[in-house]
Amino acid sequence: MKFHVNRDVFSEAVSFVVKLLPQRNPQPILAGVLIEAGEDGSLALSAFDYEASARTTIEATVDEPGTILVHGRLLNDIASRLPNAPIEISTEDDGNVAVVCGPARFALASMPVEEYPAIPEVTGESGLVPGEDFATAIAQVAFAASRDDVTPVLTGVQLEVGDNQLSLVATDRYRVALRDIPWDGAAGDEKPAALVPARTLSEVGKTFSHGGNISVAFSGSGDREIIAFTAGNKTVTSLLIKGNFPPVRRLFPEQTGHYSVVSTSDLQEAVRRVALVLDRSAPLRFTFGESSVTMDAAGGDQARASESVDATLTGGDEVTIGLNPQYLLEALGAVRSEFTRITFTSSDNANKLSPILVTAQTSVDDAASDNYKYLLQPNLLLR
């Protein structure tokens, strides 16, 4: 194999395919990047660890077609630091791979191509989502997924196809985040759903945030069901998490008449300040009154803090609840609006605290947006 390629184009391609590789892989062969140089002048770069794959195709001047496998992260480090000149990559007589760029020259060990697993092929129902909307939705939802591998189904984001929309849902038992975005796909009786690892989906959002429309395809069967995301010359696939995602949609209330509206940035800053004195994982006391919301905190070393910000209360009496400040801050960062509506829900169980519903609102008097919803379970306050 021998080819010449633009330094910046090659470096960006290598960086893309290695992003999804785990830092430490129990199988050394899976740390490799597969590079395939075709007779037509195309250069395909791929990485796959049985869970997720990334593949991109770029243009190159191919002198000798062929396939090589080299250590991905090392190649990425080298490519990102090469001088500003065309890159020549070729195989040498001793089996090593030579990387030459201007005055810089590297010799890399070649890994056995025949031992590398086949990159998943994508065939199945697909649809289109706007890239920017999809990236925003992922950022608004993925953080609510659990980080505890004890319950794998909660470490993923559930993607559910509707008639004209794609819903993204995540939960860690204490909160639920839901976002709907437009979906342009073939209409059918069966509405596909996919439970995608939150980490993989977050990388997809970062990679394709400015890529125009993204094709989302559901493929495979049995234990090898996958989902594929394609935009331009890049494709990412992910093995789906097996199991039944909990029916969290039924937790969202239908009636939302009792709520408080507050400036998002004012509440964020106040929560950050008052929570400084809290012990780790302790709840922050919120009192939602007619014209303000007041936060009170007491730390274990006698430290105390309180602060009030302007707010308007509608549809009911003053409410005092305890909330995890970090969980609330993540919700306030996700609403992406000037104002936030915090709705107080009701429950049939008198012995259980009812969750709050966090939604976006463009102004104090405007209606709440319904394309993003965040449900947060209050903490029991010690009186």
Side-chain angles (χ1 to χ4, degrees):
M1 170 195 272
K2 183 178 181 181
F3 62 85
H4 298 79
V5 64
N6 177 277
R7 169 199 176 269
D8 293 338
V9 172
F10 184 74
S11 178
E12 194 273 335
V14 176
S15 174
F16 163 69
V17 296
V18 302
K19 276 181 183 176
L20 291 174
L21 290 177
Q23 291 290 340
R24 295 180 180 176
N25 204 309
Q27 299 184 50
I29 194 73
L30 300 182
V33 165
L34 190 70
I35 302 176
E36 302 167 275
E39 295 181 356
D40 58 354
S42 65
L43 192 69
L45 293 87
S46 311
F48 182 41
D49 67 354
Y50 289 114
E51 300 291 330
S53 78
R55 183 178 176 86
T56 185
T57 303
I58 59 177
E59 292 184 356
T61 301
V62 179
D63 300 321
E64 298 177 21
T67 303
I68 56 172
L69 183 68
V70 294
H71 193 281
R73 296 198 182 279
L74 177 57
L75 181 63
N76 184 46
D77 290 343
I78 292 171
S80 65
R81 290 171 173 78
L82 288 173
N84 188 17
I87 298 173
E88 177 187 288
I89 294 181
S90 61
T91 52
E92 300 183 312
D93 293 339
D94 60 4
N96 286 337
V97 175
V99 179
V100 180
C101 182
R105 178 183 176 87
F106 294 84
L108 306 181
S110 178
M111 304 167 76
V113 173
E114 62 276 6
E115 295 181 16
Y116 199 71
I119 306 298
E121 295 289 335
V122 181
T123 57
E125 294 295 324
S126 65
L128 296 176
V129 292
E132 190 171 345
D133 287 353
F134 192 48
T136 300
I138 292 170
Q140 289 178 304
V141 169
F143 67 84
S146 175
R147 293 169 179 82
D148 187 353
D149 291 334
V150 173
T151 312
V153 293
L154 299 185
T155 64
V157 176
Q158 176 86 340
L159 273 58
E160 302 170 350
V161 174
D163 290 333
N164 296 299
Q165 70 179 24
L166 178 69
S167 298
L168 292 83
V169 193
T171 184
D172 61 2
R173 288 197 183 96
Y174 305 104
R175 53 187 173 165
V176 182
L178 168 65
R179 171 70 198 273
D180 297 326
I181 60 173
W183 167 265
D184 182 9
D189 295 333
E190 289 191 18
K191 306 299 184 186
L195 187 53
V196 187
R199 173 186 172 270
T200 303
L201 196 62
S202 294
E203 287 296 340
V204 169
K206 295 172 188 175
T207 299
F208 294 148
S209 58
H210 304 292
N213 285 337
I214 300 172
S215 171
V216 182
F218 304 83
S219 186
S221 61
D223 292 334
R224 297 302 299 178
E225 284 186 296
I226 64 170
I227 189 169
F229 307 94
T230 302
N233 64 339
K234 296 181 174 70
T235 296
V236 171
T237 71
S238 174
L239 188 67
L240 302 187
I241 298 173
K242 305 300 292 183
N244 296 319
F245 193 73
V248 294
R249 282 181 177 273
R250 66 186 183 187
L251 301 176
F252 287 92
E254 293 184 7
Q255 302 299 323
T256 58
H258 187 196
Y259 58 86
S260 178
V261 177
V262 61
S263 163
T264 303
S265 59
D266 288 353
L267 186 57
Q268 283 176 307
E269 292 303 315
V271 170
R272 289 191 182 104
R273 281 190 290 267
V274 177
L276 290 172
V277 303
L278 279 178
D279 294 331
R280 186 176 181 182
S281 76
L284 180 60
R285 182 189 296 265
F286 291 80
T287 302
F288 294 89
E290 182 179 347
S291 60
S292 67
V293 53
T294 301
M295 288 139 280
D296 296 284
D301 56 356
Q302 305 302 314
R304 293 181 176 274
S306 66
E307 186 170 346
S308 297
V309 297
D310 292 340
T312 59
L313 185 65
T314 301
D317 298 329
E318 179 180 284
V319 176
T320 298
I321 56 175
L323 299 172
N324 181 310
Q326 185 57 38
Y327 285 3
L328 181 62
L329 284 172
E330 288 176 332
L332 296 174
V335 294
R336 304 195 178 197
S337 63
E338 186 176 354
F339 292 90
T340 296
R341 176 183 292 199
I342 297 175
T343 301
F344 312 104
T345 68
S346 59
S347 171
D348 295 334
N349 187 347
N351 297 318
K352 184 178 181 181
L353 294 170
S354 299
I356 63 165
L357 176 65
V358 179
T359 51
Q361 196 157 315
T362 55
S363 68
V364 174
D365 301 319
D366 194 19
S369 170
D370 62 356
N371 70 349
Y372 179 68
K373 301 175 183 178
Y374 179 93
L375 206 62
L376 175 59
Q377 181 65 33
N379 297 64
L380 183 65
L381 284 170
L382 299 176
R383 300 292 179 180

